[in-house]
Amino acid sequence: MPLIPEEPQIHESAQGPRATPASGRTAPTPRPVPGPRPAAPPRPGRPGPLRPAPPVQRTPHDVAVAKPGVPGPAVPATAAATPAPASASAAPQIQLIPASAAGALDAAEEAVDLLLESGRAPGEVLVITTGEHHPWAAHELSFGEAAYWAQHDAGDDVFYADATAVSRAASRPVVVVAVNGGSAAAVAEALPLAHARAGALLIVCGDPQQINSVLGAGV
């Protein structure tokens, strides 16, 4: 069944390499979601306004990503999901952020910021690009493959990888994919691999029709 574009339900916050977010972005709209998460201080300069969860649930908050100026249908807020039994919790949740190829990387960066601001540890996040490398990855690769992958193996920071390297990357609780270009075949290959690497949450930033055509049929 095709996925319906929705605003991502994103957990958590801490530090990690990230590109400077684009100007003109609106403040994220907070929303509670079920499930525990570690507490962490907000990142300097990027306050994350959060709202307490309903008293009956005593759950942490989730934050929706607003993306003004990025093409894509309006994404309605979704209600908090009902906690599933332990046996059904293995499959990661999939969330779609509509974005053009030009805006996908910026949307992914904002998603990472919100994850870190809401308590997610940097080492729990993997970011994958299907087109050009993320600037951080391009910079680190200039020092050689060995140094680049050593940072991946250390697992203490957000790691940025090209889609061609997904098979080498280890699984992390959250995987964010920026569909910022690349061939249709490359995207079709990268998304299922990214889904397999995501332990709890897969966030995909890109064209909804293309993403649904891949994940809706292949996951």
Side-chain angles (χ1 to χ4, degrees):
M1 179 179 295
L3 300 172
I4 298 176
E6 60 176 22
E7 286 187 308
Q9 297 176 339
I10 304 173
H11 311 63
E12 292 94 285
S13 131
Q15 300 190 50
R18 59 189 177 87
T20 302
S23 59
R25 292 199 173 277
T26 59
T29 302
R31 183 173 67 256
V33 293
R37 70 158 184 260
R43 303 178 85 188
R46 290 298 301 271
L50 301 177
R51 177 176 64 192
V56 293
Q57 290 192 0
R58 295 293 184 188
T59 58
H61 341 16
D62 199 29
V63 183
V65 178
K67 297 166 296 306
V70 178
V75 185
T78 56
T82 302
S87 59
S89 62
Q93 180 182 5
I94 302 174
Q95 294 178 359
L96 169 62
I97 300 178
S100 65
L105 187 57
D106 191 51
E109 276 298 287
E110 184 173 347
V112 171
D113 284 344
L114 293 172
L115 285 165
L116 300 180
E117 288 171 1
S118 58
R120 178 67 69 177
E124 296 181 343
V125 182
L126 170 66
V127 180
I128 296 168
T129 56
T130 63
E132 292 184 1
H133 283 352
H134 183 280
W136 180 88
H139 173 74
E140 295 303 321
L141 281 168
S142 69
F143 297 103
E145 289 272 345
Y148 171 73
W149 286 103
Q151 296 188 62
H152 165 272
D153 297 339
D156 56 5
D157 214 339
V158 179
F159 190 76
Y160 296 84
D162 179 75
T164 59
V166 177
S167 59
R168 182 172 175 178
S171 297
R172 292 198 177 189
V174 181
V175 175
V176 180
V177 181
V179 184
N180 63 330
S183 67
V187 173
E189 181 179 358
L191 290 181
L193 288 173
H195 181 266
R197 295 294 183 273
L201 178 63
L202 172 65
I203 301 171
V204 186
C205 307
D207 176 66
Q209 184 176 358
Q210 181 184 26
I211 294 167
N212 279 321
S213 68
V214 175
L215 291 181
V219 177

